[in-house]
Amino acid sequence: MAALGRQTGDLVESPRAQVRVLGHDVLALAAFTLFVFTVAAGRLWCGFACPQTVWTLCYVWIERKIEGGRYQRIKLDQAPWSPVKLGKKGFKYLCWAVLALSISITSVGYFTPIAVLLREIAELSVGNRESFAILSLAGASFLFSGVLREQVCLHMCPYARFQSVMFDRDTLIVSYDARRGEPRGGRSRRVDPGARGLGACVDCGLCVRACPTGIDIREGLQYECITCAACVDVCNGVMKTMGYAPDLIRFSSENQDEGVPKPKTHFRLWSYGAVLLAMLGVLTFDLATRVPLGLDIIRDRGRLYRESWDGSVENTYTLRIMNMEQGSRRYAIRAEGEVPLQFSGDREVEIAGGSQVSIPISLMTAPGVQAASNSDVYFTVESVSDPVHTITETSRFLRPAEAGPDSGASAHE
Ligand code: SF4
Ligand code: SF4
């Protein structure tokens, strides 16, 4: 069989199986990419790529623009309700709602053409499925990123819980240089900390206030730290104001903090990297050998077989053929059974790109042919212009048990 693709016995894997295999490859690849980046550089995903973090920053930015900085927000929250407070809170929630809707409409636009979706929204004629998806996604974004924020990272996200399994002493983390910072204590810029027996930390508390998960990084590595580096930036600002060297809080590893030299080989990192490369190879192979053609065979459920007066037996099927390419293609159809079968139906079909057609086919044995009551039949669909685009699927050919030597077999599925 001139087939390009992974084969099971004589059969090319079905498109659903191919998509499933590709899905597994992509998931495994994503998992190992996460492992490699986590071992090498800590929770980069959480701090810089996770949609929850990115969207939370957008919601916080809106809040800061409308309600002001941390102290102004606390003051506003504690103040009694007034037209000013009502106006600020109402405007904030309105802006949040617009942001949430824009996020959800963009997301749904990946599955429904965005131009069509926007026109339907403008005409208030959005379908039920899209309406449900838009409203539920917008609600989730508003609730998780706007209202709950870091609570999602702390109490709902499973990744925070198993990150420690991936960390080792050479993993890059955000850490506080306690040897340089302690003993901490307030002082004026003119005071020499050495003369007062103080470290570089002025105990201003800005790193704690800047932290989206509300932790104090000076207490050491904590699972709540999402490596966003907000504390690094704010502390560097303090160091600059005080005229001290930067990087009291910085990216480093536990070994680096303790002055242990960096190992020449980072075994865990190289192991994950090797598996990642292997997964990439497997994904590339699966993509290269994918057959962009699908075939489903549906037997006539109403009648298992039809027997003629001369002893011939007929089975009917519907072939659903999917062209998963961009352009249209012409396909030839053939069927082979364990006994010779007469083919009745279209032998060729033209299918537009990205669409499918259903073709009724019937197969018939010649009169007097002896065969099993239940035997395999193979349908092959092959591109006329490019025979490597071929797919074969199997089905059953049924006949009355008493008509063949295999009289014990049932004619019913
Ligand atoms: S921002 Fe820097 S100086 Fe201020 S408390 Fe935090 S570590 Fe100390
Ligand atoms: S400790 Fe620093 S890096 Fe970690 S989450 Fe808080 S601000 Fe971000």
Side-chain angles (χ1 to χ4, degrees):
M1 181 168 52
L4 181 66
R6 292 174 318 112
Q7 301 187 3
T8 312
D10 286 332
L11 305 177
V12 175
E13 286 184 0
S14 73
R16 282 201 193 90
Q18 290 176 39
V19 169
R20 215 168 30 236
V21 168
L22 284 176
H24 292 164
D25 290 351
V26 170
L27 273 179
L29 198 65
F32 273 95
T33 305
L34 194 65
F35 292 169
V36 168
F37 280 104
T38 304
V39 169
R43 296 175 69 180
L44 276 186
W45 165 260
C46 295
F48 299 96
C50 174
Q52 166 68 14
T53 305
V54 176
W55 292 341
T56 296
L57 288 175
C58 298
Y59 283 91
V60 169
W61 182 84
I62 291 173
E63 185 176 69
R64 202 175 295 137
K65 288 288 168 203
I66 295 171
E67 296 185 359
R70 178 184 162 85
Y71 288 121
Q72 289 161 301
R73 290 203 303 274
I74 292 173
K75 219 170 131 190
L76 185 72
D77 285 341
Q78 289 170 348
W81 282 100
S82 66
V84 173
K85 180 172 176 175
L86 204 62
K88 282 189 173 179
K89 292 278 177 198
F91 186 53
K92 178 181 85 172
Y93 289 130
L94 181 68
C95 291
W96 279 9
V98 171
L99 175 63
L101 280 171
S102 65
I103 289 170
S104 67
I105 290 169
T106 310
S107 306
V108 174
Y110 280 99
F111 304 96
T112 301
I114 193 76
V116 176
L117 188 63
L118 290 176
R119 198 188 59 233
E120 287 178 353
I121 290 171
E123 294 169 354
L124 298 179
S125 60
V126 186
N128 290 341
R129 238 177 7 182
E130 280 91 355
S131 303
F132 177 76
I134 288 172
L135 291 177
S136 49
L137 277 173
S141 170
F142 190 100
L143 178 68
F144 294 138
S145 305
V147 180
L148 294 177
R149 301 182 191 176
E150 69 278 2
Q151 300 308 318
V152 174
C153 308
L154 296 183
H155 305 296
M156 294 165 74
C157 176
Y159 180 49
R161 304 287 162 170
F162 66 82
Q163 65 159 337
S164 55
V165 179
M166 296 180 227
F167 276 27
D168 61 20
R169 297 187 64 81
D170 291 303
T171 298
L172 212 54
I173 52 173
V174 169
S175 65
Y176 166 71
D177 187 349
R179 289 185 300 182
R180 197 187 131 204
E182 300 296 325
R184 67 187 79 162
R187 83 291 307 256
S188 96
R189 282 178 62 188
R190 287 182 292 277
V191 169
D192 175 12
R196 294 265 301 269
L198 290 170
C201 176
V202 299
D203 207 15
C204 61
L206 286 178
C207 50
V208 182
R209 280 186 230 143
C211 178
T213 59
I215 59 169
D216 186 346
I217 196 65
R218 294 174 296 172
E219 304 300 320
L221 177 62
Q222 294 150 68
Y223 81 87
E224 294 95 335
C225 177
I226 57 171
T227 322
C228 68
C231 54
V232 176
D233 294 341
V234 79
C235 187
N236 278 341
V238 175
M239 293 296 108
K240 192 173 175 193
T241 307
M242 297 298 293
Y244 299 165
D247 294 338
L248 179 57
I249 302 178
R250 73 241 193 268
F251 280 97
S252 69
S253 67
E254 286 182 85
N255 273 345
Q256 207 175 320
D257 286 345
E258 292 166 13
V260 178
K262 207 172 177 185
K264 286 199 177 73
T265 50
H266 193 164
F267 179 72
R268 193 187 287 211
L269 181 62
W270 285 110
S271 313
Y272 283 147
V275 178
L276 182 65
L277 277 179
M279 295 304 308
L280 259 175
V282 170
L283 179 66
T284 308
F285 175 79
D286 283 339
L287 278 173
T289 57
R290 175 177 164 266
V291 179
L293 171 64
L295 172 62
D296 279 342
I297 303 165
I298 304 147
R299 282 188 49 84
D300 182 355
R301 292 271 166 194
R303 198 163 186 182
L304 295 182
Y305 51 80
R306 185 179 295 115
E307 200 174 5
S308 300
W309 60 270
D310 60 358
S312 59
V313 177
E314 182 187 25
N315 282 204
T316 56
Y317 310 83
T318 300
L319 304 193
R320 194 162 58 208
I321 306 169
M322 291 152 265
N323 175 6
M324 294 186 276
E325 292 179 280
Q326 296 288 323
S328 89
R329 211 176 251 282
R330 189 161 193 83
Y331 298 99
I333 305 166
R334 62 175 186 273
E336 288 165 21
E338 290 173 3
V339 292
L341 295 166
Q342 286 174 13
F343 184 103
S344 173
D346 289 338
R347 288 280 189 179
E348 285 193 4
V349 59
E350 179 91 23
I351 307 178
S355 57
Q356 62 179 34
V357 295
S358 294
I359 312 271
I361 298 286
S362 82
L363 299 177
M364 194 188 296
T365 57
V369 169
Q370 296 294 305
S373 61
N374 187 340
S375 58
D376 285 340
V377 58
Y378 304 102
F379 288 93
T380 299
V381 175
E382 181 179 284
S383 165
V384 172
S385 59
D386 190 359
V388 292
H389 287 215
T390 301
I391 190 166
T392 299
E393 289 286 348
T394 188
S395 185
R396 314 295 301 164
F397 187 88
L398 304 176
R399 50 186 289 128
E402 62 272 16
D406 183 16
S407 56
S410 167
H412 298 279
E413 285 186 323

